[in-house]
Amino acid sequence: MGLWFRYARVALMGQFSKRSNLVVVTLAQLFLTLSALAAALVLFGRFGTLAGYSRDEVLLLFGIAQVSFSVVELLARGFDSFSAILAQGEFDRILVRPRGTILQVLGARLEFSRLGRALVGALILAHALRALGPAMGSGGPALAAARYATVASMTLGSGAIFAGIFVLGASLAFLSPDGLEVVNIFSDGGREMSQYPLSIYDKALRRFFTFVVPFGCVNWLPLEFALGRPGASWPAAFLPFAGFAFLALSFLAWRAGVRRHVSTGS
Amino acid sequence: MIEIRELRKSYRIRERRAGPGAALASLVRPAWREVEALAGVSFSLSPGEIVGYIGPNGAGKSTTIKVMSGILVPDSGVCVIKGRVPWKERKAHVAGIGAVFGQRTQLWWDVPVAESFELLRAIYRIERGTFRKRHDELVEALGAGGLLGSPARSLSLGQRMRCELVASLLHGPDLLFLDEPTIGLDAVSKLAVRDFIARENRERGLTVILTTHDVHDIEALATRVILIGRGSILFDGGFSELLAPHREKGVERALAELYGELGIA
């Protein structure tokens, strides 16, 4: 942990040495989030509800997706941009240092410009939680606490899935030297998609994003419970942990990738 | 200190063909070509030696260095360094070696050099008192005191190399891999780097493996040279011995003629 803070300090100093760049990128990130939010609001201005979900219910998912994605992008940028680390020979330098590869790759890139985006996401999340307060608080304090805890675990689980996608993408980079654009379908695409309840999408797509990349487990399935919908049962509150299983599996792929790199040298 | 026997390593390289049709074909059924980088390399090193490891590009130098650094597993053969097999105990092994790759920096580009050193202290878990002592000695020996506040990106090549040397020795390794340490340096910096390495070797018994194309580095530092060509060791002995037949032409030309004779130029 001490080492990670050292990495964070160096990354922060480096980014502050190019202050104007940091400001521009942070603002750009902020506007990206705001424009996605505007699109969602226009949609609701026109239709009122979406597949049975109110505006604030969807904004809850929106906030979760934005916060988890931007925080993971800040923390795990090294895995997200791993093909560059590999191409520049930086990974060989990592291997000649007496620490684990995961910590060193995390420390190699920290993208503080994503804080702007995280902040907007957090504000949206706070707004949605306040608006949904009465529904989430109904049925006694124990149930209410369980619902808020579910929102927290949805956010963490969603972050774990994004991190897992980055780690899987990095593992694939060992096989193909060029950056794999296809990974963005899952990371950026996953973020765009999980801003809305997955129940609005086609069945095949929904199944893929529940059983393969488990966005469904941090999205509409536990959402029903968190919102205090009738008929929603508490086991759904544990589904977000599927995100951590996904992350754990992606680290197995990472280990295989490192082993392959060390035995092929390319 | 280093025991290497019959080290072999082949790479599989994907053949690229021209044209869109061929590109598609190589995607479906890639054509591979085997390249033998190490064809049975053997040598051993005693503590305190400075060895020049030379040979033309593509001869197998960096493959050997990668194996010795624990970042590449050979196909077969033995490599034991200080009682350890590098790739089997990577962390324990690399904690005791230093590496300077002249063309690539190990410093963090945008922050003052002193911050890079502090980060290395954390990475290598160097106790603060020990760190202070080594840091001050190395900085003093290389005259790097005035550079500590500047970011690596603003240093000249010579200044940066002094800092690279500090960085590679902060954790007190007794084995140092030096790859092209004087490439692109002016005469003053070159001499400073060579003097420093000679002194570390003399006073601390630092073992050095020097890979370089600069014959003057070898001449100034190495008592022994190992020549590799096409993955095999072609010569292992004194530098003057190696060049004896061509000596009168000067070291540069002598080595070039030798490469020509051996068919590895």
Side-chain angles (χ1 to χ4, degrees):
Chain A
M1 218 44 196
L3 177 57
W4 185 86
F5 281 108
R6 271 277 157 205
Y7 278 125
R9 181 187 153 98
V10 163
L12 204 56
M13 284 178 85
Q15 279 159 45
F16 266 97
S17 75
K18 300 177 204 155
R19 222 160 290 141
S20 52
N21 185 49
L22 180 66
V23 169
V24 169
V25 178
T26 306
L27 288 178
Q29 286 287 320
L30 212 142
F31 280 117
L32 273 175
T33 313
L34 289 177
S35 66
L37 175 65
L41 293 179
V42 165
L43 198 75
F44 277 100
R46 202 166 167 104
F47 298 108
T49 64
L50 181 69
Y53 293 93
S54 73
R55 188 192 71 183
D56 292 327
E57 288 168 348
V58 170
L59 284 184
L60 184 69
L61 288 180
F62 192 94
I64 289 173
Q66 291 292 340
V67 168
S68 58
F69 184 80
S70 46
V71 170
V72 167
E73 219 184 0
L74 189 169
L75 297 175
R77 186 71 177 163
F79 284 101
D80 188 21
S81 55
F82 185 70
S83 50
I85 291 182
L86 204 53
Q88 290 159 16
E90 216 177 322
F91 190 63
D92 283 344
R93 181 49 80 179
I94 284 175
L95 288 175
V96 296
R97 287 183 173 144
R99 289 302 189 102
T101 55
I102 293 170
L103 177 59
Q104 289 191 78
V105 172
L106 289 176
R109 302 274 193 288
L110 287 156
E111 198 55 58
F112 289 100
S113 61
R114 299 307 189 264
L115 278 176
R117 190 170 198 154
L119 184 69
V120 175
L123 290 175
I124 295 168
L125 193 55
H127 162 82
L129 283 173
R130 210 183 49 175
L132 299 171
M136 290 181 70
S138 67
L143 205 50
R147 289 190 187 118
Y148 284 106
T150 302
V151 171
S153 72
M154 284 163 75
T155 312
L156 292 173
S158 167
I161 296 172
F162 287 124
I165 292 168
F166 289 158
V167 172
L168 279 178
S171 313
L172 282 176
F174 287 118
L175 297 176
S176 162
D178 318 308
L180 287 164
E181 288 299 323
V182 68
V183 177
N184 296 343
I185 297 175
F186 298 101
S187 56
D188 294 335
R191 181 196 67 224
E192 292 303 315
M193 199 187 58
S194 67
Q195 287 169 359
Y196 295 95
L198 291 198
S199 50
I200 67 171
Y201 298 106
D202 172 73
K203 200 167 170 192
L205 194 70
R206 204 163 66 207
R207 280 198 178 143
F208 180 82
F209 281 106
T210 301
F211 295 109
V212 183
V213 184
F215 277 114
C217 299
V218 300
N219 182 273
W220 62 303
L221 297 170
L223 180 69
E224 295 280 303
F225 173 74
L227 294 176
R229 293 278 174 97
S233 59
W234 60 268
F238 290 95
L239 279 174
F241 291 102
F244 290 94
F246 179 74
L247 180 58
L249 287 175
S250 74
F251 278 126
L252 290 182
W254 170 254
R255 276 185 35 192
V258 172
R259 251 199 313 273
R260 190 195 131 90
H261 175 80
V262 171
S263 67
T264 60
S266 59
Chain B
M1 171 151 269
I2 297 182
E3 188 61 49
I4 285 179
R5 279 197 308 276
E6 278 300 304
L7 217 52
R8 288 178 187 277
K9 181 74 196 176
S10 300
Y11 296 117
R12 290 212 312 160
I13 294 178
R14 191 187 283 246
E15 292 264 85
R16 299 234 181 236
R17 285 164 290 190
L24 192 68
S26 68
L27 197 68
V28 179
R29 190 146 37 94
W32 297 94
R33 190 162 52 92
E34 286 268 321
V35 175
E36 197 168 39
L38 298 180
V41 163
S42 309
F43 60 83
S44 60
L45 242 73
S46 315
E49 279 195 275
I50 300 188
V51 170
Y53 194 46
I54 61 170
N57 287 327
K61 293 193 301 288
S62 52
T63 302
T64 319
I65 300 291
K66 279 187 174 181
V67 170
M68 290 191 291
S69 318
I71 60 182
L72 185 64
V73 184
D75 297 335
S76 66
V78 174
C79 173
V80 180
I81 299 182
K82 294 187 266 177
R84 289 194 193 93
V85 176
W87 59 92
K88 287 198 174 141
E89 297 172 71
R90 181 183 69 84
K91 287 185 204 170
H93 170 66
V94 298
I97 64 168
V100 174
F101 305 125
Q103 320 252 40
R104 282 180 199 154
T105 185
Q106 61 183 313
L107 304 166
W108 280 262
W109 209 233
D110 298 316
V111 297
V113 171
E115 285 294 327
S116 286
F117 293 165
E118 277 295 325
L119 187 45
L120 287 169
R121 189 184 77 78
I123 289 174
Y124 285 93
R125 296 187 170 100
I126 311 167
E127 191 269 316
R128 195 167 280 283
T130 318
F131 173 80
R132 257 305 117 215
K133 188 167 169 286
R134 272 200 213 117
H135 174 275
D136 293 352
E137 282 170 7
L138 290 167
V139 166
E140 152 97 52
L142 282 155
L147 310 174
L148 299 176
S150 316
R153 75 175 128 79
S154 71
L155 299 180
S156 75
L157 219 49
Q159 293 172 328
R160 213 195 74 208
M161 185 50 65
R162 289 162 200 244
C163 296
E164 299 279 351
L165 283 167
V166 176
S168 65
L169 293 171
L170 278 173
H171 56 290
D174 51 4
L175 174 61
L176 180 65
F177 297 118
L178 277 177
D179 182 31
E180 300 286 0
T182 61
I183 197 163
L185 301 194
D186 61 74
V188 176
S189 300
K190 256 187 194 179
L191 291 176
V193 166
R194 283 182 198 148
D195 287 348
F196 171 77
I197 294 163
R199 218 179 85 187
E200 286 295 303
N201 170 259
R202 203 172 52 238
E203 292 177 4
R204 271 175 243 267
L206 181 69
T207 310
V208 181
I209 295 185
L210 174 67
T211 57
T212 181
H213 290 299
D214 188 328
V215 284
H216 301 289
D217 282 352
I218 306 275
E219 200 176 29
L221 289 170
T223 44
R224 173 182 167 197
V225 287
I226 298 175
L227 170 65
I228 184 172
R230 298 222 181 90
S232 301
I233 303 294
L234 302 176
F235 176 86
D236 184 347
F239 191 50
S240 44
E241 222 179 295
L242 174 70
L243 298 184
H246 308 275
R247 187 65 236 209
E248 70 287 354
K249 292 158 192 152
V251 280
E252 207 111 56
R253 184 163 297 279
L255 195 64
E257 284 194 7
L258 186 70
Y259 282 6
E261 264 173 36
L262 292 166
I264 56 171

